[in-house]
Amino acid sequence: MAEAANWQSIGMSEHVAASLMGRTGRIGQVRSIYSRLVNVILSDGELLIIQASDRECTPMSLVVHWPADEIFEAEPGLPVYRQEKPESLRCGSCEISLAGAALFGSFASVKPGQDCAGALQVLEQHFAKSMRRQSVYDFLQKADTDGSGAIAMPHCYGALMQQRIRTLSKMMRDGNLEDSMNAVLKLVGLGPGLTPAGDDFLQGFLFYCRTLPFLSKITGEICTKMKWMGRLDTTEISRAFWRHFLAGRVAEPVRCLAESFNAGDWTCFSRQVERVSRIGHSSGDDYLSGVWWALKMSEGSGGA
């Protein structure tokens, strides 16, 4: 930012409020900067996302009134400070007032034994008309023309992704916890990006496997083991999202997707699918690919 600017926070997640409580002085540093979004790594490794109100909220979001004509001019490594009186954050030449920010929750769950047919129809319609870059759905759905069943991918990890997902599905169907864990860990960190496609897929997949009676128990055991594993072999930012996911905290559109699924409101579910799809470059569609694959298992075709 060329000149000093004073911004006002308008909302933050309950988790962010708790994380900032009691911290003063230097609390972290800028990790990366995108259009109207700044990723900050706090001193304990937690992620804080300073973002404009037109971006979807996450469990790590601090939402600010970000004037359309202002650009955050900073580089990775810039320190971030917090002061108590007045309560604010300072990052370079920008000061963000924290007073009066509304708190929002981020916990979500899906009900067991839900009817999956309506959700599957919505998801398949979404992917059929999607004009975005390929997602994990394409890796699992589209066969090569040689009839081998292999997938023709522009990405070197596509065929590997498909193979590992099918292995995971089979291990979970068989109730084999140890092999399922090994299969999960082979997907963690797989693919490019700040949140690799394997991570995004797994979070959608594991979240919605909980609605399937024959997978609910082993899914809970997998998530419990992952929660206590410590450092997962993926990117720094993706590890932060995993910590929240394993604690039951998700992004706002993901929470709304779960609520509409629980209600069986497929019109609302369709709207939330489009919101989730807009997350990141392809992260939203990779998450939805995991939801789709989990629900396909309800009709016996997932993991085939």
Side-chain angles (χ1 to χ4, degrees):
M1 207 167 292
E3 298 182 2
N6 294 307
W7 289 358
Q8 175 64 50
S9 62
I10 56 179
M12 69 179 79
S13 74
E14 293 172 346
H15 178 78
V16 165
S19 295
L20 294 178
M21 186 71 67
R23 295 178 189 251
T24 55
R26 179 169 175 163
I27 64 170
Q29 64 182 30
V30 172
R31 171 64 173 79
S32 52
I33 304 166
Y34 296 91
S35 174
R36 299 169 67 76
L37 181 151
V38 182
N39 290 315
V40 174
I41 297 296
L42 300 179
S43 54
D44 60 0
E46 281 288 331
L47 176 66
L48 170 66
I49 301 175
I50 302 171
Q51 65 179 72
S53 57
D54 58 355
R55 303 295 296 257
E56 297 288 6
C57 294
T58 76
M60 301 88 84
S61 291
L62 171 63
V63 184
V64 301
H65 176 66
W66 190 319
D69 59 345
E70 291 195 19
I71 300 172
F72 195 93
E73 295 182 354
E75 295 181 355
L78 184 73
V80 178
Y81 300 88
R82 178 182 181 272
Q83 65 180 29
E84 287 189 340
K85 295 182 179 181
E87 190 179 7
S88 63
L89 293 183
R90 182 164 55 84
C91 186
S93 58
C94 181
E95 184 162 333
I96 302 170
S97 172
L98 301 179
L103 300 183
F104 57 86
S106 53
F107 286 96
S109 62
V110 289
K111 295 179 181 177
Q114 292 292 92
D115 180 12
C116 302
L120 276 170
Q121 182 179 9
V122 170
L123 288 165
E124 288 172 356
Q125 288 173 346
H126 163 74
F127 284 115
K129 67 182 182 182
S130 177
M131 300 299 292
R132 304 193 72 195
R133 57 164 286 181
Q134 280 190 310
S135 65
V136 177
Y137 175 87
D138 301 290
F139 303 168
L140 292 166
Q141 182 73 350
K142 298 179 180 178
D144 200 346
T145 55
D146 66 4
S148 68
I151 303 298
M153 308 293 180
H155 306 293
C156 61
Y157 63 86
L160 188 59
M161 181 84 69
Q162 181 206 111
Q163 178 189 31
R164 291 182 177 180
I165 288 171
R166 292 182 182 275
T167 298
L168 170 61
S169 303
K170 183 180 186 304
M171 294 303 100
M172 289 179 67
R173 277 189 179 278
D174 292 345
N176 189 323
L177 179 58
E178 182 177 353
D179 286 347
S180 294
M181 275 301 304
N182 289 335
V184 164
L185 295 178
K186 287 180 179 179
L187 282 166
V188 170
L190 182 60
L194 290 175
T195 58
D199 294 9
D200 297 324
F201 172 88
L202 276 172
Q203 290 180 20
F205 176 72
L206 293 173
F207 193 84
Y208 280 81
C209 275
R210 291 181 178 273
T211 197
L212 307 178
F214 63 98
L215 291 180
S216 180
K217 181 175 183 293
I218 193 169
T219 301
E221 292 171 339
I222 289 170
C223 290
T224 297
K225 289 178 75 72
M226 291 183 75
K227 185 175 182 179
W228 298 109
M229 279 189 64
R231 186 183 178 91
L232 293 171
D233 188 15
T234 186
T235 65
E236 186 176 34
I237 288 177
S238 196
R239 277 195 293 273
F241 276 96
W242 270 115
R243 284 193 293 271
H244 287 283
F245 172 80
L246 294 170
R249 296 185 290 263
V250 297
E252 174 67 7
V254 172
R255 183 181 65 81
C256 293
L257 185 76
E259 289 178 352
S260 59
F261 175 80
N262 290 338
D265 184 343
W266 307 127
T267 300
C268 182
F269 186 80
S270 180
R271 289 197 299 268
Q272 304 311 323
V273 163
E274 298 309 313
R275 284 183 68 195
V276 173
S277 179
R278 291 192 291 269
I279 296 175
H281 185 49
S282 63
S283 290
D285 275 343
D286 288 332
Y287 179 91
L288 293 171
S289 299
V291 177
W292 169 77
W293 190 248
L295 301 185
K296 287 291 283 184
M297 292 184 72
S298 70
E299 58 182 30
S301 53

